[in-house]
Amino acid sequence: MNNSRLHSTADIFLSGNAFTEDYDTAEIIALIPAAGIGSRMKSDCPKQYLEIAGKTILEHTVTVLLEHPRIQRIIIALNPADTQFARLPIASDPRITTVIGGEERADSVLAGLDYLVGLPTDKAIWVLVHDAARPCLHRNDLDSLLQLIDHRIESPDVCGGLLASPVKDTMKRMVSLSAEKPLLKKPSKKESPTIHYTLIDHTVDRNGLWHALTPQLFPLQLLRDCLIKALAEQACITDESSALEYCGYRPVLINGRSDNIKVTQPEDLALAEFYLSRKSKESSV
């Protein structure tokens, strides 16, 4: 891991930038990377436009954020060939702005951050990055994450954080591809010539392991600086937190609900519909 920092902790919290603002004056802007095509869903359209309970996944995702009083606006990074978003009812909401995303998630997030740094404002901006295909976010989890902005006044080491859930299943590490040899089974006349099996190398200790979820919340300039540095140095960046980790920071894990699922596979649609139905019943009580 590269432990270099873009700034020292003292510089970040005392230099008069976003970290010196208090909770009441901070502006929270949601950023949704939605430029992906969702190839694993095996559908005719990107997964964010698949429908659950009469609305697209993206509409469910955006609605939760629009309903929160602390979120002033939402930036959505779209594929340059996207023609579907403009037809959604939420497209006319004045709080929503779209930008052109990139090939990878990090490129889309950076496109949104580049737009935000050009906005005229005298407030600190904290960016709440949320997956387009996570429609089941609960308000109480969002509240818990946003409290980090307030908590960092008392704890200057708080650089931001993310929702996450502890790993519950037994974790296996597969044999590396370079070392794995396929197990061969003598084929019958009806079978293909070779059957390949993925082998276990060892069981991973799950203590201390967490599933990273979204939203993820960080100050605008810090997130942008870390993302630019990590991408320039070709680091493996799978989410926003990993960019800060690469630059030596330690984001906070906020224990979130495990039903905050990301719709990735076809079977996830039915599960998301169940969770959304249950969530609707809970909110009506």
Side-chain angles (χ1 to χ4, degrees):
M1 174 179 174
N2 186 329
N3 289 318
S4 63
R5 293 177 178 268
L6 299 181
H7 313 279
S8 70
T9 302
D11 288 340
I12 291 172
F13 288 94
L14 300 177
S15 62
N17 61 15
F19 282 76
T20 62
E21 301 288 344
D22 61 27
Y23 180 84
D24 292 332
T25 61
E27 184 174 2
I28 302 169
I29 300 178
L31 172 56
I32 301 177
I37 59 174
S39 58
R40 284 177 289 180
M41 283 298 297
K42 301 177 182 179
S43 64
D44 295 331
C45 70
K47 60 186 176 184
Q48 60 267 27
Y49 295 118
L50 296 175
E51 288 196 4
I52 299 176
K55 290 184 179 180
T56 64
I57 292 174
L58 182 58
E59 287 177 287
H60 285 292
T61 299
V62 171
T63 298
V64 178
L65 303 176
L66 286 175
E67 290 176 346
H68 199 286
R70 287 291 298 156
I71 298 175
Q72 285 82 7
R73 67 179 81 186
I74 298 176
I75 311 300
I76 303 178
L78 299 174
N79 190 291
D82 187 299
T83 60
Q84 293 170 276
F85 179 78
R87 298 198 292 265
L88 300 179
I90 59 173
S92 61
D93 194 297
R95 293 168 292 177
I96 295 177
T97 301
T98 61
V99 298
I100 299 301
E103 291 186 8
E104 303 294 336
R105 174 199 173 91
D107 300 320
S108 292
V109 172
L110 188 56
L113 299 177
D114 287 343
Y115 170 81
L116 290 176
V117 295
L119 294 179
T121 181
D122 57 355
K123 293 184 177 181
I125 295 179
W126 284 67
V127 182
L128 186 84
V129 184
H130 189 41
D131 293 327
R134 282 192 194 271
C136 303
L137 175 65
H138 277 253
R139 170 67 179 270
N140 55 353
D141 275 3
L142 185 52
D143 287 338
S144 296
L145 182 62
L146 293 180
Q147 287 177 3
L148 284 177
I149 301 176
D150 193 23
H151 290 167
R152 60 96 182 139
I153 297 175
E154 302 173 0
S155 303
D157 288 336
V158 174
C159 63
L162 63 150
L163 292 179
S165 63
V167 169
K168 301 174 183 177
D169 301 311
T170 297
M171 305 298 291
K172 304 291 186 181
R173 173 72 67 183
M174 64 177 282
V175 175
S176 64
L177 294 178
S178 60
E180 183 177 1
K181 295 181 180 180
L183 294 180
L184 302 182
K185 177 182 177 182
K186 185 177 180 180
S188 67
K189 293 181 180 180
K190 296 182 179 180
E191 290 178 327
S192 58
T194 304
I195 297 178
H196 294 265
Y197 296 91
T198 299
L199 306 179
I200 295 173
D201 184 75
H202 63 277
T203 298
V204 179
D205 184 359
R206 69 186 175 201
N207 289 328
L209 293 181
W210 292 63
H211 293 287
L213 311 174
T214 69
Q216 303 192 3
L217 177 69
F218 301 103
L220 167 60
Q221 196 60 58
L222 178 64
L223 175 56
R224 184 170 180 268
D225 286 350
C226 289
L227 197 54
I228 289 174
K229 177 180 174 65
L231 290 175
E233 297 179 6
Q234 299 183 330
C236 179
I237 301 302
T238 56
D239 64 356
E240 293 65 53
S241 177
S242 60
L244 271 81
E245 296 160 33
Y246 178 78
C247 294
Y249 297 96
R250 293 183 176 179
V252 177
L253 291 169
I254 301 296
N255 198 335
R257 297 175 59 124
S258 58
D259 58 3
N260 180 15
I261 64 169
K262 184 177 182 180
V263 178
T264 304
Q265 307 287 352
E267 58 267 27
D268 295 333
L269 284 171
L271 187 57
E273 184 172 13
F274 169 75
Y275 286 146
L276 286 170
S277 174
R278 189 175 65 178
K279 178 183 172 185
S280 177
K281 291 178 181 178
E282 289 175 353
S283 61
S284 63
V285 174

